[in-house]
Amino acid sequence: MPNQVYINGQLFAKEDAKVSVYDHGLLYGDGVFEGIRVYGGKVFLLEEHIERVYESAKAIRLEIPMSPEELSKATEDTVRANDIRDGYVRLVITRGAGSLGLDIRRTSNPQVIIIADTISLYPKELYEDGLQLVTASTIRNHPGALSPRIKSLNYLNNILAKIEATDAGTIEALMLNHKGEVAECTGDNIFIVKRGILLTPPKSAGILEGVTRNTVMELARKAGIAVEEAEMTRHDIFVADECFLTGTAAEVIPVVSLDGRAIGNGEPGPTTRKLLKLFRESTESV
Ligand code: PXG
């Protein structure tokens, strides 16, 4: 059982791994995080995740009190200490404890937390059958209010949309941006295939730039599939030939309907299947 949690250079038993109730991560959602996979004992795409967490931290003016190299090493050490072969790592960096009030100068001692645990995956049959999506009425955060590019501890925007998915009996919901364009899902990026071209919303649509998204785009290009970032509306998904989602937890998962309209022939398409295969191979070859 994994039960060793890293906090600021020390490993604690799970039940003793604690932060202050005055931590601004808890009081205000003031902090950043990452979700990373472990395959075969190896931390997958660690460098990319480390880079993103430093970028998220920079965007909220949070200085992570260690170097990227040190954080990478601490991540690998924590995975090893918990003997995780296939699992999940959660990095959390909070602003630290301080007096009440929003002023970041009232805080000190950011908490660098690393949890290495098992992962709960989407049901296996969904990779064969595809999942059904609904559009959430909750729109993605306006980038001018809180940029979705920051993977912050403030995930209520996504949680509200996820509640809508759950209420509708699905596991993911499509989120539109403030312009009504397709942005992403609550914890996954979205792709469509139209006339052989792979399309995904651009960063400017107000999305988290997924590490899996970038990897899949690269794998597709290497496989000779044309890839474009393009603004899209729900209509583009209704009339797409194929649709799938990407994410650290989901990997590549087919989508077969949106709001009750079948996408393509209502079954996972050949390009989706190919990219799922290529992605899984890439997790095995690291
Ligand atoms: N969009 C959003 C809003 C996300 O939160 C993705 C896209 C996919 O990005 P990656 O880099 O994973 O390809 C995410 C990722 C968790 C958890 O424990 C959340 C994510 C990933 C892993 C774990 O809640 N979100």
Side-chain angles (χ1 to χ4, degrees), residues 124-279:
K124 230 179 178 162
E125 57 273 17
L126 286 182
Y127 290 85
E128 285 302 317
D129 304 341
L131 63 88
Q132 311 201 340
L133 272 189
V134 291
T135 306
S137 63
T138 306
I139 63 162
R140 196 73 177 94
N141 278 331
H142 192 299
L146 174 59
S147 172
R149 292 186 65 186
I150 303 169
K151 202 162 168 65
S152 84
L153 295 183
N154 242 289
Y155 246 52
L156 271 176
N157 179 223
N158 311 59
I159 290 166
L160 291 176
K162 179 84 172 187
I163 289 170
E164 293 187 54
T166 308
D167 285 349
T170 68
I171 58 167
E172 257 296 18
L174 177 68
M175 299 185 78
L176 306 177
N177 66 18
H178 62 285
K179 292 187 272 185
E181 298 160 350
V182 171
E184 59 181 335
C185 293
T186 69
D188 298 298
N189 292 110
I190 189 162
F191 286 80
I192 58 170
V193 180
K194 184 72 177 174
R195 295 188 197 94
I197 300 174
L198 189 59
L199 298 158
T200 195
K203 282 177 273 187
S204 58
I207 61 168
L208 182 78
E209 190 185 352
V211 167
T212 319
R213 170 187 183 271
N214 291 348
T215 302
V216 165
M217 288 165 81
E218 208 179 292
L219 288 171
R221 286 194 178 111
K222 275 193 200 146
I225 301 164
V227 184
E228 287 173 21
E229 296 183 75
E231 286 163 10
M232 57 178 87
T233 64
R234 233 164 41 115
H235 182 84
D236 295 300
I237 299 179
F238 293 149
V239 301
D241 300 323
E242 299 180 35
C243 179
F244 63 86
L245 310 181
T246 64
T248 292
E251 301 180 325
V252 173
I253 191 161
V255 175
V256 292
S257 76
L258 172 64
D259 300 325
R261 285 120 167 131
I263 297 168
N265 64 3
E267 286 175 17
T271 306
T272 303
R273 288 183 185 283
K274 181 169 185 179
L275 289 169
L276 172 57
K277 184 166 172 282
L278 288 174
F279 183 81

Side-chain angles (χ1 to χ4, degrees), residues 42-88:
K42 204 149 184 308
V43 186
F44 187 60
L45 302 173
L46 178 58
E47 210 174 303
E48 286 81 352
H49 285 283
I50 293 286
E51 187 178 356
R52 188 170 66 186
V53 82
Y54 275 83
E55 289 181 0
S56 291
K58 188 164 193 188
I60 68 163
R61 287 235 233 151
L62 169 60
E63 200 170 321
I64 300 176
M66 59 204 292
S67 69
E69 294 72 29
E70 287 165 338
L71 184 56
S72 298
K73 185 173 182 304
T75 304
E76 285 175 329
D77 290 348
T78 306
V79 167
R80 215 166 301 126
N82 285 284
D83 205 14
I84 302 282
R85 296 293 302 164
D86 291 288
Y88 176 70

